[in-house]
Amino acid sequence: MKNSLFQFSNSSVDRRKFILNAVQSITALALIGLKPAFAFENEETSKKPPTVQEIINLILKEGGLTPLKETVDTIKTGNGNQIVTGIVTTMFPTITVIEEAARQDANFIIAHEPSFYNHNDKSDWVNNNSVLKQKQALLEKHKMVIWRFHDYCHALKPDAISYGVAKKANWLPYYKPSEIILKIPPLSLKKLVQHLKTSLGISHVRIIGNLSQQCERIALLPGAWGGQRQVSAVESEKPDVLIVGEVSEWETAEYIRDGKLLGGKTSLIILGHAVSEEPGMEWFAEWLQPKLPDVKVVHLSSGDPFVWE
């Protein structure tokens, strides 16, 4: 071929000389730190799998989140330098979630709530906690890392939990990131309950209120906001219904009951803590996956711990 960059004769000697010269040229370039123009590198094989800490740093960067000095969002078990084989998001890192994560070859759990039954995950919260010790042994067996994603999760714009719940309830057209009130098309309290159970996949809820009441202004407070904030939200916003994850029954529940007996309009729907925030961690997995195309990210629901008879 006349236009070839290199021309060969039919002589096997010439071919051997060419190959030898090429090898010598590549070696010389490598010695001075240069890559030959015709030496191609496989990008896939050159990529290093990310570590736990690198993924945490990526989440903070991509979320526009400023590192917090005081936070519960710390690594609860395992090592930040560990290479990540897969990621699971969940509400609570239950025994079932840990075992399923290991089965799926994931070794990094991002959990919204505590691993060891108290807000700060103190291992000495209860002396000689046998369940905690067995859980720690299971985590060590599978070389599983748990990072809590709570404060940063709520600091995302929009808040990952409330956005995820609004998305799964098909309420995004009525959702405003900076507000807790959603103004939805009016429907009865009974139909609202049915909608929440169906859309969020909840089997049972608890209610204070008249099921025939018309609801339009919704105060959406998934999770455990605490009695003071829940009651303050009702006092300031005057919603038709307050939707929460959980309450202290001697606080918010009694306030709503007395309010109804005094002629107030606000009813109460209690979804359950885990199931009320689960959609947020499910959405977070969707948010994270495109940012880590080479790492599998899945959501595993921790589910409702209660059964009803």
Side-chain angles (χ1 to χ4, degrees):
M1 296 175 64
K2 294 182 179 179
N3 294 325
S4 296
L5 180 60
F6 301 110
Q7 296 185 37
F8 298 96
S9 72
N10 291 326
S11 167
S12 60
V13 175
D14 290 340
R15 287 196 296 272
R16 283 197 298 272
K17 286 182 178 179
F18 171 78
I19 293 171
L20 180 61
N21 289 337
V23 170
Q24 290 174 339
S25 297
I26 292 172
T27 304
L29 288 169
L31 288 173
I32 61 173
L34 297 176
K35 292 181 180 179
F38 46 87
F40 297 102
E41 183 176 298
N42 186 329
E43 291 185 1
E44 292 301 318
T45 59
S46 67
K47 287 182 180 177
K48 287 185 177 180
T51 65
V52 166
Q53 190 58 56
E54 286 171 342
I55 290 174
I56 293 173
N57 294 343
L58 174 72
I59 291 169
L60 299 188
K61 179 182 177 181
E62 292 292 320
L65 300 167
T66 302
L68 300 171
K69 292 182 179 180
E70 298 293 331
T71 180
V72 294
D73 291 6
T74 58
I75 293 173
K76 304 304 178 181
T77 184
N79 192 317
N81 294 322
Q82 179 166 300
I83 296 295
V84 174
T85 59
I87 299 173
V88 161
T89 69
T90 192
M91 267 293 291
F92 289 89
T94 65
I95 300 301
T96 302
V97 168
I98 294 166
E99 291 176 335
E100 180 59 22
R103 192 188 71 79
Q104 295 195 24
D105 195 30
N107 64 353
F108 184 24
I109 296 175
I110 301 177
H112 187 61
E113 295 296 15
S115 303
F116 304 126
Y117 326 118
N118 65 92
H119 185 56
N120 293 306
D121 283 301
K122 292 182 177 179
S123 59
D124 60 351
W125 183 60
V126 172
N127 290 332
N128 300 316
N129 188 329
S130 61
V131 173
L132 183 148
K133 290 179 180 178
Q134 292 177 78
K135 189 172 188 177
Q136 288 175 323
L138 181 66
L139 290 163
E140 175 59 29
K141 172 186 173 182
H142 293 301
K143 302 302 178 186
M144 194 73 64
V145 177
I146 297 178
W147 177 55
R148 188 173 179 191
F149 184 58
H150 181 273
D151 299 345
Y152 289 122
C153 183
H154 289 299
L156 279 175
K157 304 296 181 185
D159 177 308
I161 299 299
S162 61
Y163 182 86
V165 174
K167 181 176 183 289
K168 196 155 190 177
N170 297 313
W171 284 345
L172 284 184
Y174 321 111
Y175 175 78
K176 296 179 180 178
S178 60
E179 299 180 10
I180 62 171
I181 294 293
L182 287 75
K183 189 174 181 181
I184 64 172
L187 73 171
S188 69
L189 180 60
K190 182 176 182 178
K191 288 185 177 179
L192 175 58
V193 167
Q194 290 172 341
H195 171 73
L196 287 168
K197 289 170 67 177
T198 300
S199 61
L200 302 183
I202 300 174
S203 58
H204 293 83
V205 301
R206 292 190 291 168
I207 308 159
I208 297 177
N210 185 336
L211 290 175
S212 64
Q213 173 193 344
Q214 289 295 294
C215 302
E216 186 175 7
R217 281 174 51 80
I218 306 277
L220 182 62
L221 280 68
W225 285 52
Q228 186 175 29
R229 294 176 71 190
Q230 291 168 344
V231 171
S232 296
V234 174
E235 287 291 331
S236 62
E237 301 293 343
K238 303 293 190 294
D240 298 321
V241 60
L242 171 66
I243 301 173
V244 301
E246 69 171 73
V247 299
S248 293
E249 293 185 18
W250 48 275
E251 294 177 339
T252 305
E254 291 303 324
Y255 161 81
I256 294 291
R257 176 159 68 168
D258 276 350
K260 296 295 286 183
L261 292 171
L262 291 168
K265 70 173 184 176
T266 301
S267 295
L268 176 67
I269 300 175
I270 305 173
L271 303 175
H273 189 130
V275 292
S276 77
E277 294 191 290
E278 197 82 63
M281 291 305 290
E282 183 178 1
W283 176 74
F284 174 67
E286 298 173 10
W287 178 90
L288 182 59
Q289 181 63 90
K291 299 169 177 56
L292 290 167
D294 298 317
V295 180
K296 185 179 179 182
V297 182
V298 299
H299 176 74
L300 295 179
S301 173
S302 57
D304 193 332
F306 301 103
V307 295
W308 306 84
E309 294 186 2

